[in-house]
Amino acid sequence: MTELADTAPAAPLIKPKTSKDDRIMVGFILVICLYLLITLAFPLYAMLSKSFSTYAFDLTNFEFQVNAGDGWSEPFSAAEQNDKIQKFKPKDLVTSSDGRLATTEFFPDFSFRSPTLYRLRQVRGDTSFLFGTERVDDTEWHEYSSNDFRRIVIRASGDTGLDNFRTYFSTPALFRSIENSLFISFLSTIITVSLAFGFAYALNRSTMRFKGLFKLVAMIPILVPSLLPGIALVYLFGNQGMIKGLLFGESIYGPIGIVIGSVFFTFPHALIIITTALAISDSRLYEAATALRASRWRTFWTVTIPGARYGLISAAFVVFNLVITDFGLPKVIGGQYNMLAVDIYKQVIGQQNFEMGAVVSVVLLIPALLAFGVDRYVQKKQVAQLSARSVPYVPKPHRQFDRICLAYCSLVAVFIVGLIAVCQYAALIKFWPYNLSLSLDNYNFEVMDGGGWDSYTNSIQLGLYTALIGTVVVFVGAYMVEKVNGFFTTRSAFQFLAMMPMAIPGMVLGLAYIFFFNNPDNPLNAIYGTLAIMVICTVTHFYTVSHLTAVTALKQMDREFEAVAASLKQPFQRLFARVTVPVCLPSILDISIYLFVNAMTTVSAVIFLYSPDTTLASVAVLNMDDAGDIAPAAAMGMMIFYTNVGARLIHQFVSRKLVRTTQAWRGG
Amino acid sequence: MTVQNKGEPGSAKPYLQIDRLTKKFGNFVALDSVSLEVYEGEFICFLGPSGCGKTTFLRAIAGLDIQTSGTVMQDGADISALPPAERDFGIVFQSYALFPNLTAERNIAFGLENQKVGKSAIDKRVNELLELVGLPDQGPKYPAQLSGGQQQRIALARALATSPGLLLLDEPLSALDAKVRSHLRHEMKALQRRLGVTTVMVTHDQEEALTMADRIVVMNHGVIEQVGTPTQIYREPDTLFVADFIGAMNQVSGRVNSDDRITIGELSFKSRTHGLASDAPVVAAIRPEDIVPRDPRDESEAENSLEVEIDDMEFLGSFWRVSLKSSALGEASLMADLSINATRTLAAEVGSTIRVALPADRLWVFPPAGSL
Ligand SMILES: Nc1ncnc2c1ncn2[C@@H]1O[C@H](COP(=O)(O)OP(=O)(O)O)[C@@H](O)[C@H]1O
Ligand SMILES: [Mg+2]
């Protein structure tokens, strides 16, 4: 029988005809790919190339002639003149794209009142100089009176190379930040993960009371900008702090403040991951341990910790990433202690040195990418561990243990609520520490630096648009990439692009947007400075988590729905609208609230993108704090908090109602 | 593999013609050049162990995972490369894939809406289908409110709603418990017969295949081992795999003597003609119910009879399954099904010796597994 098959002529190879549905779906994927290319890949590329572009004054290309009434001198180059007068060292000649050098610098005796005449030309046409605002890039001789000559500046000429990195690593003030950032991130990670593990352990393994309350309190930090704890710490431990004495003379401005604040704002992120890890560990192992009469302590080290190890590792990397890329907190409380993310800001906003900003961004990308890579790897492992079906652990009462857990969780809760309460208090008193009477003066943002109440409404708009547009883009993209048949390369490309934002620090993304969108040659230049670019940036910044939420929800749907719909000759859009969206609605709502809350609190990416018309509440907190208006900054921070609480409550309400009305078919 | 349509109804025309279908996943060949013809109105079962390629075959026919090579013709048209939406079939999956947020009637109506059919016509058709699958009152319920068997029938009704020319079923009953399953078997078969819709069902359950199918396609490792009616498959297995996979079968190794004789242990038996080379190692196979006990008073040396000792007896309700040993056969032991009557007349009990015959036309000879 097999012989027959061997000798028979080969059956024709089949090239499947793609269905209309698949073509439409792949069209969507390509559109979203393009979106991610434009909003992520291209800007990052622009930033990367910026970090390698160097600018210097090419003195050999400029030649002078001087006529002090006794005829024109021989032409001499600026380089020769510099050698003669020993004015600039080579490193002084390295500059940024906006570097300017006045030609009068080469003439120590220059006086704009003298009758001396000057001539200037460029040997080659690849440099330029400015006469006032007029740009000259020819190779002609130009003649100027001394009064005109003082208005001439040489422009820097560009090149590519590693010079920026060389400069970076030879400037201690800059590269010391690497060490600082790593140190702070390590320390915060260890503290946060330990605290969060204890908290999760108590929630998962004890029968203490108030578990629901503790869970709520633990999530508070997600609802505020990361710099808010910084403000609270200033009030508590600052120069006029309420309990300053507790620091024994140490300053809160610096590592101590950054670490405490970082623990505050990363705590919920670590807690969520570790709680999940503990929740999936198998109760049967505990039964076995009890049967073997292992002590609580031994069980802890031989069962609990190994079971939760992937969760712990994953949490550690997430926290590390959050701390090292955070900008708001060290900006507020860091004092003179330099961190990478703040350096980017200082280079770009303070010194207008965009190339160096790009270099620091590249440096910051490395640990962030590493942390991201490890996290992805570990997550995969944990999923594998999860699929082995386990029986959830049900804790039994144990009085003393429960009491310890309650005490511990209360302590953590006091820390979290305490910092928020201090902010609220700060926002409500007239003038700390001199006038402690209560007032709402600090909410009168109009008289402050930071954009006034407009920035609050702008933030709400940003949040709503981000939630709306982001949810649609993310969910549609996830659906298409999950359900389309074939098109392997396109799907892989999309999946890669969708994962990338997680690895990109907000500061880096924001700076990359400047390079890409603020380029006059870019047709999308028009959106620069608008709310639109901030919406786009925020959607992209928080794309990955939203995407993963959508994918998880979609994976829980029966894989054959599309096949059934196709066999019934129904287009996928109909299935999508009638089944997929209704079934995934809880997850869709989760995505939108996630995007909204993050849009309200984010500072890092948008700090480079707002314009005077589009200031944001979170940025206003930073700017008011920077201007010394700390109480109004706290007040604005609390506005963000209350808005997010409100949004959460609405979300909760809608979700509950949804679950109730759909209970019949959800089988609950 | 060649086409082996021993059981096709002579008059019917082939509705599905599958020619040398091969499906590869990377380097793995899940279907290896399988060919098959399915006749109009037939109920075909793909039967085989898990992982043998049944689902792959079904999905290729549906266009859900199109084959690497080979053609599929349906009703005379070449549909080999067409996406599912351009083919004509209804499908029921093991999971049923009912839309959870739609009621049973909305599920059934899903394929009818959007097709220029009036609302009242849709309602009428939905009620008709609910009636057809025996669930006239369950229309307003959601899938989660229905039992497994009811869900299965709603899925069937949904697949039949658009009156497709071909019904594909992938293990439609295997998620149900045994009692519901056997009940639904008959119901589905009756329904299929009534509608006359050409049906291909995948199953790994031989009982299901034997009771439901007009013809069974036995598959193994991506190839078709045999195609035939249930009786053909059972009574005349083409290969050792089929013989072994379906029903109980004694297997004893031996050697070829001649064209229709083999040696097992020290004994020589006449068997079915097999055409294997002389002295080749073979496996002789006989079903337990084909082993005939001989009347102890009959002293004649009948062909293929031998003396055996009863090693073990198991009462299975309507008969006894006895385990038989004989030093002449070597290590091998045989299972035989003896009627209650026979055990009584033979006074069979563990340790006693009886004579049995292995009828030559029931004694199959195959090349041993793994040697092709
Ligand atoms: N999408 C796929 N990718 C790789 N291998 C597959 C895929 N689908 C099925 N297979 C493999 O093909 C073989 C046949 O699978 P399947 O047709 O599902 O078997 P069954 O007979 O149980 O329905 C199995 O070994 C399976 O692992
Ligand atoms: Mg299968």
Side-chain angles (χ1 to χ4, degrees):
Chain A
M1 282 178 286
T2 42
E3 278 158 32
L4 247 177
D6 290 343
T7 52
L13 288 180
I14 301 297
K15 189 171 180 301
K17 197 172 149 234
T18 52
S19 69
K20 192 167 157 228
D21 280 3
D22 285 339
R23 286 194 299 272
I24 298 175
M25 283 189 181
V26 87
F28 268 104
I29 295 181
L30 288 175
V31 168
I32 297 177
C33 267
L34 186 67
Y35 172 87
L36 284 173
L37 281 177
I38 292 174
T39 63
L40 184 68
F42 295 164
L44 284 176
Y45 177 77
M47 189 208 71
L48 210 60
S49 54
K50 198 74 170 178
S51 73
F52 291 109
S53 61
T54 57
Y55 289 89
F57 300 110
D58 183 3
L59 300 188
T60 57
N61 204 35
F62 295 91
E63 287 189 345
F64 301 109
Q65 279 187 305
V66 184
N67 183 351
D70 49 357
W72 289 103
S73 69
E74 282 297 302
F76 55 93
S77 76
E80 291 161 5
Q81 178 71 356
N82 188 39
D83 285 347
K84 203 157 101 195
I85 61 174
Q86 290 291 316
K87 175 93 183 185
F88 301 109
K89 298 196 181 69
K91 84 169 180 17
D92 300 331
L93 295 172
V94 175
T95 178
S96 68
S97 59
D98 295 326
R100 305 281 186 268
L101 182 63
T103 44
T104 51
E105 299 278 2
F106 296 98
F107 301 94
D109 309 327
F110 177 81
S111 158
F112 66 91
R113 289 201 189 82
S114 81
T116 312
L117 295 175
Y118 295 88
R119 277 181 178 171
L120 172 60
R121 75 154 181 181
Q122 295 165 102
V123 182
R124 300 173 314 274
D126 56 0
T127 59
S128 61
F129 62 87
L130 298 176
F131 172 51
T133 54
E134 180 198 344
R135 177 177 162 151
V136 183
D137 48 12
D138 56 27
T139 53
E140 305 296 310
W141 280 109
H142 297 266
E143 192 172 318
Y144 302 100
S145 69
S146 58
N147 193 29
D148 284 344
F149 191 65
R150 66 172 172 158
R151 292 173 57 206
I152 291 178
V153 288
I154 294 175
R155 295 184 75 225
S157 48
D159 201 355
T160 52
L162 288 169
D163 281 358
N164 296 328
F165 288 89
R166 235 169 262 137
T167 313
Y168 179 82
F169 285 103
S170 57
T171 314
L174 285 174
F175 75 75
R176 169 104 8 96
S177 299
I178 299 179
E179 203 184 310
N180 290 352
S181 275
L182 289 177
F183 170 70
I184 295 284
S185 306
F186 273 123
L187 195 59
S188 309
T189 301
I190 290 168
I191 299 174
T192 307
V193 171
S194 313
L195 285 178
F197 180 79
F199 205 88
Y201 190 75
L203 286 177
N204 196 263
R205 298 295 147 87
S206 81
T207 54
M208 67 179 177
R209 298 178 59 193
F210 309 121
K211 275 191 192 177
L213 183 69
F214 285 136
K215 277 183 201 163
L216 271 184
V217 167
M219 290 303 124
I220 287 178
I222 286 187
L223 306 180
V224 300
S226 63
L227 46 86
L228 205 66
I231 291 176
L233 291 174
V234 169
Y235 272 90
L236 286 172
F237 304 106
N239 295 333
Q240 293 167 322
M242 306 173 191
I243 48 174
K244 186 175 166 218
L246 288 182
L247 283 185
F248 301 109
E250 295 290 332
S251 170
I252 193 72
Y253 297 100
I256 300 179
I258 305 177
V259 169
I260 299 177
S262 295
V263 169
F264 175 88
F265 91 86
T266 58
F267 184 80
H269 299 271
L271 183 68
I272 291 170
I273 297 169
I274 298 173
T275 308
T276 316
L278 280 179
I280 61 166
S281 55
D282 199 331
S283 81
R284 284 169 300 186
L285 291 174
Y286 290 89
E287 279 156 21
T290 318
L292 293 170
R293 294 176 192 281
S295 69
R296 222 168 220 281
W297 185 242
R298 220 185 109 94
T299 310
F300 179 82
W301 285 108
T302 54
V303 179
T304 309
I305 294 284
R309 69 183 180 280
Y310 293 129
L312 289 171
I313 298 171
S314 180
F317 279 98
V318 166
V319 170
F320 185 89
N321 216 344
L322 284 170
V323 176
I324 204 164
T325 58
D326 183 53
F327 156 73
L329 183 67
K331 177 81 182 61
V332 166
I333 196 101
Q336 300 303 311
Y337 195 77
N338 287 338
M339 303 257 298
L340 288 171
V342 184
D343 282 349
I344 299 178
Y345 180 77
K346 284 186 184 161
Q347 289 298 326
V348 172
I349 302 293
Q351 310 190 6
Q352 298 282 309
N353 188 342
F354 290 88
E355 290 73 29
M356 197 47 74
V359 169
V360 186
S361 297
V362 172
V363 172
L364 182 58
L365 258 179
I366 294 164
L369 279 174
L370 268 180
F372 168 79
V374 175
D375 181 52
R376 291 307 305 161
Y377 174 77
V378 170
Q379 290 268 333
K380 282 211 182 97
K381 289 262 180 177
Q382 186 170 17
V383 170
Q385 191 187 26
L386 216 169
S387 45
R389 223 156 249 212
S390 55
V391 182
Y393 180 85
V394 182
K396 295 185 195 64
H398 183 295
R399 263 179 98 190
Q400 194 183 349
F401 176 69
D402 289 349
R403 217 175 286 156
I404 296 172
C405 286
L406 186 67
Y408 173 77
C409 290
S410 305
L411 222 61
V412 174
V414 164
F415 167 68
I416 292 171
V417 175
L419 288 191
I420 292 292
V422 167
C423 274
Q424 182 60 84
Y425 179 64
L428 287 177
I429 53 177
K430 265 216 166 86
F431 191 51
W432 177 263
Y434 308 107
N435 182 350
L436 299 185
S437 60
L438 298 179
S439 86
L440 287 175
D441 288 357
N442 292 323
Y443 287 83
N444 190 5
F445 301 126
E446 299 305 337
V447 301
M448 318 286 174
D449 216 8
W453 278 100
D454 280 354
S455 40
Y456 177 72
T457 47
N458 284 341
S459 265
I460 301 262
Q461 276 188 48
L462 174 69
L464 291 176
Y465 281 126
T466 302
L468 189 73
I469 297 171
T471 308
V472 171
V473 171
V474 165
F475 192 78
V476 169
Y479 177 77
M480 302 300 163
V481 80
E482 278 296 301
K483 302 297 178 189
V484 74
N485 294 300
F487 301 103
F488 184 76
T489 324
T490 316
R491 279 162 63 193
S492 313
F494 179 79
Q495 256 142 1
F496 177 77
L497 282 173
M499 290 315 293
M500 223 160 75
M502 180 112 107
I504 309 299
M507 296 298 284
V508 178
L509 192 65
L511 183 58
Y513 271 42
I514 300 187
F515 294 140
F516 184 66
F517 289 101
N518 197 20
N519 182 344
D521 298 336
N522 187 335
L524 293 169
N525 181 254
I527 66 166
Y528 192 75
T530 63
L531 191 66
I533 194 174
M534 292 199 285
V535 172
I536 290 172
C537 180
T538 313
V539 169
T540 305
H541 189 183
F542 299 104
Y543 199 97
T544 306
V545 172
S546 317
H547 176 73
L548 290 175
T549 309
V551 166
T552 308
L554 288 166
K555 279 202 194 301
Q556 281 164 1
M557 309 253 302
D558 196 307
R559 281 173 38 244
E560 313 293 6
F561 283 168
E562 278 68 25
V564 168
S567 78
L568 296 172
K569 315 273 177 294
Q570 298 296 323
F572 80 93
Q573 307 90 294
R574 199 160 164 259
L575 179 72
F576 182 76
R578 293 245 2 228
V579 179
T580 314
V581 170
V583 171
C584 290
L585 208 50
S587 302
I588 293 175
L589 289 176
D590 286 349
I591 295 171
S592 54
I593 187 74
Y594 167 83
L595 287 172
F596 179 86
V597 166
N598 276 297
M600 286 300 293
T601 57
T602 188
V603 180
S604 56
V606 291
I607 189 84
F608 293 134
L609 300 177
Y610 73 90
S611 70
D613 295 333
T614 56
T615 52
L616 296 174
S618 54
V619 175
V621 177
L622 187 92
N623 286 341
M624 289 192 284
D625 176 84
D626 218 21
D629 295 328
I630 306 182
M636 187 63 99
M638 291 312 289
M639 285 309 299
I640 295 175
F641 174 63
Y642 291 126
T643 309
N644 279 337
V645 169
R648 279 278 186 145
L649 287 176
I650 294 172
H651 169 252
Q652 192 97 346
F653 177 76
V654 174
S655 296
R656 284 253 171 91
K657 207 171 153 80
L658 190 75
V659 169
R660 210 173 312 123
T661 52
T662 59
Q663 202 159 28
W665 60 263
R666 284 190 197 277
Chain B
M1 281 315 260
T2 44
V3 193
Q4 307 165 10
N5 289 323
K6 288 181 188 165
E8 75 260 31
S11 58
K13 59 177 197 272
Y15 179 72
L16 261 187
Q17 289 165 290
I18 293 145
D19 184 30
R20 286 167 294 156
L21 211 66
T22 296
K23 174 73 185 178
K24 296 181 185 168
F25 294 110
N27 284 329
F28 176 72
V29 183
L31 276 184
D32 191 0
S33 193
V34 297
S35 299
L36 179 71
E37 289 190 343
V38 178
Y39 295 86
E40 191 144 12
E42 250 193 319
F43 195 125
I44 291 278
C45 271
F46 294 169
L47 176 65
S50 163
C52 71
K54 308 178 296 288
T55 298
T56 307
F57 196 3
L58 194 80
R59 290 179 73 89
I61 294 172
L64 294 168
D65 279 312
I66 290 178
Q67 68 275 16
T68 316
S69 63
T71 51
V72 180
M73 309 271 287
Q74 183 177 0
D75 208 10
D78 187 347
I79 57 165
S80 308
L82 295 185
E86 291 173 36
R87 301 186 184 203
D88 175 23
F89 69 96
I91 192 163
V92 176
F93 293 101
Q94 184 175 355
S95 65
Y96 314 138
L98 288 173
F99 306 130
N101 62 323
L102 303 183
T103 57
E105 47 197 13
R106 289 298 102 204
N107 263 286
I108 297 173
F110 196 82
L112 300 169
E113 293 160 359
N114 211 13
Q115 305 272 23
K116 301 199 188 78
V117 187
K119 192 171 174 330
S120 59
I122 292 178
D123 287 349
K124 191 161 156 281
R125 177 82 179 129
V126 169
N127 286 330
E128 205 176 283
L129 285 156
L130 282 168
E131 200 82 44
L132 190 69
V133 296
L135 298 171
D137 310 324
Q138 307 296 329
K141 288 195 181 164
Y142 289 104
Q145 297 166 320
L146 298 172
S147 75
Q150 291 172 327
Q151 289 180 25
Q152 196 270 347
R153 282 181 279 179
I154 298 297
L156 189 62
R158 181 178 65 181
L160 291 169
T162 50
S163 312
L166 177 65
L167 180 62
L168 303 176
L169 311 164
D170 190 354
E171 311 245 3
L173 299 172
S174 63
L176 303 170
D177 57 47
K179 212 169 148 195
V180 183
R181 195 157 56 203
S182 74
H183 171 70
L184 276 182
R185 252 182 227 159
H186 295 105
E187 212 168 89
M188 275 176 71
K189 175 68 192 169
L191 184 67
Q192 188 269 342
R193 202 164 276 156
R194 185 137 52 97
L195 297 175
V197 55
T198 313
T199 302
V200 178
M201 180 173 101
V202 162
T203 180
H204 65 269
D205 181 339
Q206 46 160 310
E207 221 179 300
E208 209 164 283
L210 290 170
T211 52
M212 294 174 83
D214 294 327
R215 283 192 303 146
I216 295 175
V217 177
V218 184
M219 296 179 63
N220 188 29
H221 290 312
V223 298
I224 294 180
E225 294 270 340
Q226 186 174 1
V227 181
T229 63
T231 18
Q232 280 173 335
I233 297 282
Y234 190 82
R235 299 296 289 174
E236 289 159 43
D238 276 353
T239 64
L240 179 58
F241 173 81
V242 176
D244 182 40
F245 189 71
I246 293 168
M249 185 67 98
N250 289 297
Q251 292 178 41
V252 188
S253 12
R255 273 186 187 280
V256 173
N257 250 350
S258 68
D259 207 26
D260 61 355
R261 292 204 75 84
I262 53 163
T263 311
I264 302 171
E266 300 160 10
L267 303 173
S268 169
F269 293 90
K270 184 169 162 48
S271 70
R272 293 178 68 103
T273 35
H274 47 72
L276 292 166
S278 194
D279 211 32
V282 289
V283 174
I286 185 164
R287 296 209 183 270
E289 70 265 27
D290 287 338
I291 296 180
V292 187
R294 287 182 49 89
D295 193 330
R297 289 158 302 186
D298 184 353
E299 295 290 316
S300 66
E301 255 317 297
E303 195 180 46
N304 279 6
S305 75
L306 70 159
E307 195 132 286
V308 287
E309 189 190 322
I310 298 179
D311 201 30
D312 194 14
M313 293 180 73
E314 191 184 358
F315 184 52
L316 292 177
S318 48
F319 61 90
W320 286 86
R321 178 154 291 179
V322 297
S323 165
L324 308 171
K325 271 197 126 138
S326 159
S327 53
L329 284 179
E331 290 293 288
S333 81
L334 293 173
M335 294 287 182
D337 291 350
L338 302 186
S339 70
I340 296 168
N341 231 345
T343 41
R344 195 175 313 128
T345 46
L346 294 171
E349 56 184 45
V350 174
S352 66
T353 304
I354 55 169
R355 280 193 82 76
V356 294
L358 314 182
D361 68 327
R362 300 279 86 213
L363 185 61
W364 301 86
V365 176
F366 300 110
S371 75
L372 278 172

